[in-house]
Amino acid sequence: MLVLKFGGTSVGLPSRMKKIADLVLHTQGQKIIVLSALSGTTNSLVTIGDNLLNGEVNKAEDEISTLEKHYNSFVSELFDTEGFKAIGNEVISRYFILIRLLAAGDFDSKSYRELLAQGELLSTELFYQHLQERKINSRLLPALHFMTIDENEEPELEKISLRLKPFLKSLASVNVIVTQGYICRNHKNEIDNLKRGGSDYTASLIGAAVGADEIQIWTDIDGMHNNDPRIVKKTFPISHLTFDEASELAYFGAKILHPSTIVPAQKYKIPVRLKNTMDENAAGTIISHEGESGIVKAIAAKDGITAIKIKSSRMLLAFGFLRKIFEVFEKYRTPIDMISTSEVAVSVTIDDDSRLKQIVNELHSFGTVEVDKNQSIICVVGNRLTENKEMLQQVFTSLRAIPIRMVSYGGSYNNISLLIDSIHKESALKSLNQGLFNLR
Ligand code: ASP
Ligand code: MG
């Protein structure tokens, strides 16, 4: 069994949706197809939801009409026969009746989450009807029947697996099973989601739940690159990554993969392959258990980081001091990324600064607090990278002209993280590309 996930741009045009059907046809064996919403749809649903929460009903209605028109023209191109064009239009009108009903009711966070789910429901139903038009042996399997999260918003992998097994048994003779990415039910049985970009995560949860041979994530780039192609001219796709390397890269900036995707795949040792819908013959990236040690694989950067330094003589020879500091971050549900300590000071970085004010206020009771915004974490990734003796020297030689604010080395075998002011990011990525890959 294969699980293939196609992202928003891969289904975003009728011609691309047709191409996916071709691709699926040419893949051997039974497969589960996980789809995102058409590109732009979830953003548009977010706009509608925000408008409705702010009481801007007219704006929301305009956006709903624009979105509906987009789908009408999509359908007219996707289907060939009059019969299926009519089915396509019926699908669209049914979903837009629901969207307008949600908008007309008491709009709250529950209706908002239901609204967000419509994108994936629409894309999968249209794709399924397209497969029907082409007489491809397929079924639609609603994710809301099996994909659930618990009260901590954690996917319930065992339950998902137990629910999927009988479904798959009854679908044993079906070639292509289509389901929605991103959407799920929460512990109150309400419609919910796995957060933005969560379709990748759906694919890997399903892959783990059914013990798939491989999970394939199809996007619009030919795999994970060794550096950020938006900033550095010469980059190349990495042919192989370990699960740990891929997790670090997904978290620290490589936008191609939702960071949680690796977790279920790694737990059940199911390889994840990243492929390019626009160029299906490109090798892509394979992520698995095996890997070579000590080789620098990639450089990534994460922006929008805030550094907080707490300086206190009370820390000197004291125990329990760090715990008290960390408790402040825990209280405000703010994860810490990097830490660096000296005897009288500790620096940490955070990505989510929405509770920064409250955090800083409380930290003042421990000593002086300095805050630096607009920082970037530069991350050098490789399997057991720290075993490579020259590598550290190469990193620092490459970055000799750049002021480094924090360094994290040895926390994991697989990465070195450096904190710099974001104004230096571009030159840091370029210098490291030169120093570590000999590429300008
Ligand atoms: N459609 C959702 C989003 O845009 C989920 C996804 O595409 O992965 O965030
Ligand atoms: Mg995505």
Side-chain angles (χ1 to χ4, degrees), residues 192-209:
D192 212 317
N193 60 66
L194 301 176
K195 309 266 158 55
R196 293 304 305 271
S199 295
D200 298 340
Y201 196 18
T202 302
S204 107
L205 287 165
I206 294 178

Side-chain angles (χ1 to χ4, degrees), residues 9 16 20-21 24 47-48 56 60 95 120 203 206 208 211 221 242 253 283 289-290 299 329 365 381 417:
T9 46
R16 291 198 185 138
I20 292 178
V24 167
T47 306
I48 295 164
E56 297 170 308
Y95 280 97
E120 272 67 14
I206 294 178
I221 179 167
T242 64
H289 248 83
E290 304 103 48
I299 306 153
F329 290 87
S365 64
V381 172
S417 303

Side-chain angles (χ1 to χ4, degrees), residues 63-91:
E63 184 75 25
I64 294 173
S65 300
T66 312
L67 192 63
E68 189 176 19
K69 282 199 193 97
H70 178 68
Y71 276 89
N72 285 328
S73 63
F74 192 91
V75 159
S76 67
E77 265 187 66
L78 179 66
F79 297 106
D80 290 333
T81 58
E82 287 312 313
F84 274 92
K85 280 190 206 288
I87 291 175
N89 283 324
E90 183 278 325
V91 170

